């Protein structure tokens, strides 16, 4: 039996491969492209993705290479409607990072190579067949065909995924009657520190800073060809005026589709990223969502007791819901920003000013955009006592906070495993669990207890991907805790 096979060496495939190696699963990565893409493509990295990258020791390298933005300003013409800030978020990374996708791939690739991995380029996965022992895959190396057997095949090969096509999975959804032109340019005299979104009767215009002083310009249009002259005209019509676009390093056009597979898993074969879901670029959620697919799946592949476990089934159950929410939210954002009817635009502007100008609604929107609010509540592999009274429940992201020894909680996680947080729980029960299961144990102090809303003694088991797997308020029988731990794939010491 060979290594796990990852098809696609973009941000999602590289994240998947790095995570697999971190959890001790040897893997092989193939990509049909001869060279990495040089284009900037996706540029937004949200706080939740930075938190997960921090677990790999990469957040510092990413932030050093990118531009930190506090938030996004929304305008109607030249009139400011509202500001969506990030600085108030409870995270070590209270900002949005602007970083071209080619740099994201470079940083991930460098880390993957440091771990001993390698990319096999110019290799196409042409077909495969599953059996009880694994997946038999045909790989085309130019004029040579190879037959390989792998326990897991993960398709991270984009919207035109060959893995998805081989599975004959319907990519249900629709093509949206909305196209975008974008360019990476310089704009003399414009010192942009945050994102700006301009709405107008003619459509929308987005301006985001890039590393090195460049500007990403995006506009919706039905024009078939993207040119600098065309984007200049759209910028003049919709922007603040007086901006001159120059020195384009990349110009492109893309159409919007909203599609998703019904299941992210078929036996030993999995789909992640654009291979599983595509949507509007509004909100910059696409690459982040795909990378978080990888963070969700990798530890489950490493911890699953057998190939057809409930733990592996939970990948689709948890991430399909997230994908569906992203498709709906990004579609709504794009439709709202591109409204043409004057009455509809007036209502939208009034709502943005009246509601999203207030702190509560700004915070809700900030948490949604930052992806800190993603939750897997209701997942069948999680466990929670019905009387649990904490603010953070099973399935929620485990927030950061200070520990009694002066460290932050995120600095104390186990690198590749589960962590048991004790909020004043019975010491003997915590010690008994630690003797039976390979978990790190952290005693939370009163400040962290307040952060989590733990109003009474409680236990929280944090999964390797930073989400709460068990939320229990003692007394809970050890048999029930053992069942929950086993279902989550927590390794036993026996």
């Amino acid at each position: 039996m060979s290594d796990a096979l990852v098809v696609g060496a973009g941000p999602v495939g590289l994240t998947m491969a790095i995570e697999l190696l971190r959890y001790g699963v040897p893997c092989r990565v193939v990509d049909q492209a001869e060279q990495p893409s040089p284009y900037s493509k996706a540029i937004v990295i949200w706080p939740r993705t930075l938190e997960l990258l921090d677990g790999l020791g990469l957040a510092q390298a990413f932030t050093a290479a990118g531009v930190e933005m506090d938030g996004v300003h929304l305008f109607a013409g030249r009139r400011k409607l509202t500001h969506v800030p990030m600085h108030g978020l409870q995270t070590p990374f209270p900002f949005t990072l602007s970083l071209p996708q080619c740099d994201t791939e470079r940083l991930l690739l460098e880390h993957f190579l440091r771990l001993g991995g390698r990319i096999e380029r110019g290799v196409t996965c042409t077909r495969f067949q599953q059996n009880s022992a694994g997946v038999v895959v045909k790989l085309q190396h130019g004029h040579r065909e190879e037959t390989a057997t792998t326990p897991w095949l993960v398709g991270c090969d984009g919207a035109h995924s060959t893995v998805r096509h081989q599975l004959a999975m319907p990519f249900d959804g629709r093509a949206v009657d909305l196209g975008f032109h974008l360019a990476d340019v310089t704009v003399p005299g414009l010192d942009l520190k945050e994102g700006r979104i301009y709405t107008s009767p003619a459509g929308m215009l987005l301006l985001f800073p890039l590393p090195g002083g460049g500007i990403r310009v995006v506009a919706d249009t039905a024009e078939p060809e993207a040119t600098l002259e065309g984007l200049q005209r759209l910028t003049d019509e919709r922007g603040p005026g007086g901006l001159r676009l120059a020195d384009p390093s990349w110009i492109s056009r893309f159409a919007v589709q909203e599609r998703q597979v019904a299941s992210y898993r078929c036996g030993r074969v999995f789909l992640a990223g654009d291979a599983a879901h595509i949507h509007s670029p509004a909100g910059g959620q696409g690459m982040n969502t795909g990378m978080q697919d990888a963070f969700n799946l990798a530890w489950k592949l490493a911890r699953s007791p057998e190939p057809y476990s409930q733990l592996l089934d939970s990948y689709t159950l948890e991430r399909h819901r997230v994908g569906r929410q992203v498709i709906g939210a990004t579609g709504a954002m794009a439709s709202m920003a591109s409204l043409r009817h004057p009455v509809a635009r007036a209502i939208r502007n009034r709502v943005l000013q009246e509601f999203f100008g207030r702190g509560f609604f700004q915070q809700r929107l900030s948490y949604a955009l930052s992806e800190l609010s993603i939750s897997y509540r209701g997942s069948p592999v999680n466990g929670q006592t019905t009387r649990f009274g904490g603010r953070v429940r099973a399935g929620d992201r485990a927030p950061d906070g200070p520990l009694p020894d002066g460290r932050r909680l995120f600095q104390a996680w186990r690198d590749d495993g589960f962590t048991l947080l004790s909020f004043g729980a019975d010491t003997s029960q915590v010690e008994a669990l630690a003797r039976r299961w390979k978990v790190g144990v952290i005693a939370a102090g009163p400040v962290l207890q307040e952060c989590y809303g733990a109003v009474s003694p409680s236990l929280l088991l944090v999964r390797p991907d930073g989400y709460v797997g068990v939320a229990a308020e003692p007394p809970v029988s050890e048999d029930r805790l053992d069942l929950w731990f086993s279902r989550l794939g927590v390794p036993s010491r026996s």
Side-chain angles (χ1 to χ4, degrees):
M1 180 69 71
S2 66
D3 303 340
L5 180 62
V6 177
V7 180
V12 179
L14 287 169
T15 302
M16 179 68 68
I18 290 169
E19 281 286 274
L20 288 173
L21 291 182
R22 182 160 74 116
Y23 296 122
V25 179
C27 69
R28 182 180 180 185
V29 182
V30 301
D31 195 296
Q32 64 182 359
E34 295 288 348
Q35 299 292 334
S37 171
Y39 302 117
S40 56
K41 297 181 181 178
I43 64 169
V44 174
I45 300 180
W46 292 107
R48 181 55 182 157
T49 303
L50 286 170
E51 289 183 350
L52 294 167
L53 288 170
D54 195 38
L56 303 177
L58 292 178
Q60 185 175 355
F62 271 73
T63 55
V67 176
E68 297 181 14
M69 302 181 293
D70 176 54
V72 179
H73 295 276
L74 279 76
F75 295 84
R78 299 182 183 183
R79 178 167 57 95
K80 182 178 174 180
L81 296 176
T82 190
H83 176 233
V84 183
M86 295 287 153
H87 62 263
L89 298 175
Q90 185 187 354
T91 172
F93 308 100
F95 52 83
T96 306
L97 188 71
S98 173
L99 183 70
Q101 182 173 321
C102 53
D103 289 326
T104 292
E105 292 184 16
R106 174 181 57 81
L107 292 170
L108 291 171
L109 177 59
E110 289 172 355
H111 187 65
F112 181 57
L113 297 177
R114 285 195 297 270
L115 295 175
R118 72 183 184 95
I119 308 295
E120 299 175 56
R121 293 201 170 274
V123 179
T124 302
C125 174
T126 56
R127 60 190 186 278
F128 54 83
Q129 186 173 1
Q130 301 190 56
N131 57 41
S132 58
V135 186
V136 180
V137 185
K138 300 294 184 181
L139 299 173
Q140 194 69 38
H141 302 249
H143 298 295
R144 176 176 67 89
E145 186 178 71
E146 174 195 0
T147 301
T149 304
T150 177
W152 311 114
L153 173 60
V154 187
C156 306
D157 48 343
H160 303 289
S161 169
T162 58
V163 175
R164 187 185 68 244
H165 286 304
Q166 287 295 316
L167 289 171
M169 278 189 174
F171 207 22
D172 295 329
R174 66 186 183 120
V176 180
D177 187 21
L178 187 67
F180 289 87
H181 290 182
L182 64 84
D184 294 344
V185 299
T186 62
V187 181
L190 179 62
D191 184 18
L192 200 59
K193 302 297 185 183
E194 297 183 293
R196 297 183 187 177
I197 300 176
Y198 294 90
T199 65
S200 74
M204 62 178 164
L205 176 76
L206 286 73
L207 303 176
F208 280 83
L210 292 169
I215 303 293
R216 164 65 60 86
V217 182
V218 183
D220 64 307
T221 177
E223 295 177 9
E225 184 179 359
T227 64
L228 182 62
E229 293 75 17
L231 272 168
Q232 180 67 68
R233 177 174 47 77
L234 295 175
T235 301
D236 293 339
E237 291 175 351
R238 306 173 185 184
L243 302 182
R244 182 174 64 84
L245 312 187
D247 306 319
S249 59
W250 184 46
I251 301 178
S252 182
R253 180 187 188 278
F254 58 93
V256 175
Q257 301 220 19
E258 297 175 345
R259 300 187 183 277
Q260 186 178 32
V261 292
S263 174
Y264 289 14
R265 178 192 184 193
C266 179
R268 293 176 177 265
V269 182
F270 300 82
L271 298 174
D274 287 355
H277 47 77
I278 55 175
H279 47 78
S280 166
Q285 305 287 300
M287 182 180 69
N288 292 263
T289 302
M291 292 171 69
Q292 290 177 43
D293 289 344
F295 282 110
N296 182 281
L297 175 60
W299 70 271
K300 295 175 179 178
L301 291 176
R303 302 294 182 227
S304 177
E306 44 89 11
Y308 300 98
S309 69
Q310 188 179 40
L311 184 59
L312 291 179
D313 287 339
S314 73
Y315 170 59
T316 285
L317 294 171
E318 293 179 353
R319 295 305 297 173
H320 188 278
R321 180 173 60 186
V322 173
R324 184 174 67 248
Q325 291 170 346
V326 169
I327 289 171
T330 56
M333 279 189 267
S335 298
M336 182 182 68
S338 58
L339 288 173
R340 298 293 199 270
H341 195 281
V343 175
R345 287 190 295 105
I347 294 173
R348 175 204 61 199
N349 295 346
R350 181 67 179 270
V351 168
L352 287 172
Q353 282 188 305
E354 291 294 324
F355 289 94
F356 292 104
R358 300 176 183 175
F360 172 78
F361 292 101
Q362 281 185 337
Q363 186 181 59
R364 292 290 297 270
L365 184 56
S366 298
Y367 267 93
L369 285 173
S370 66
E371 302 183 347
L372 298 176
S373 62
I374 289 173
S375 175
Y376 304 135
R377 288 189 185 186
S379 174
V381 296
N382 291 334
Q384 176 170 299
T385 53
T386 54
R387 57 192 291 272
F388 179 72
R391 185 183 305 119
V392 179
R393 298 181 175 273
D396 291 351
R397 159 189 167 269
D400 192 22
L403 295 175
D405 62 6
R407 292 181 298 168
R408 307 288 299 180
L409 180 59
F410 283 4
Q411 297 171 333
W413 291 135
R414 286 175 57 89
D415 289 338
D416 59 354
F418 294 81
T419 302
L420 186 64
L421 297 182
S422 172
F423 294 92
D426 181 75
T427 302
S428 61
Q429 185 174 38
V430 174
E431 291 175 348
L433 289 169
R435 283 195 298 269
R436 288 197 303 277
W437 303 96
K438 294 181 180 179
V439 296
V441 177
I442 295 177
V447 178
L448 192 64
Q449 183 169 337
E450 182 178 353
C451 169
Y452 275 67
V455 296
S456 58
S458 55
L459 291 171
L460 294 183
L461 179 72
V462 182
R463 311 179 340 179
D465 58 356
Y467 289 85
V468 176
V470 172
E473 187 177 347
V476 180
S477 72
E478 293 188 359
D479 287 345
R480 174 173 288 190
L481 288 171
D482 288 344
L483 173 64
W484 286 340
F485 279 36
S486 176
R487 198 163 59 191
L488 281 163
V490 184
S492 171
R493 294 189 184 276
S494 58

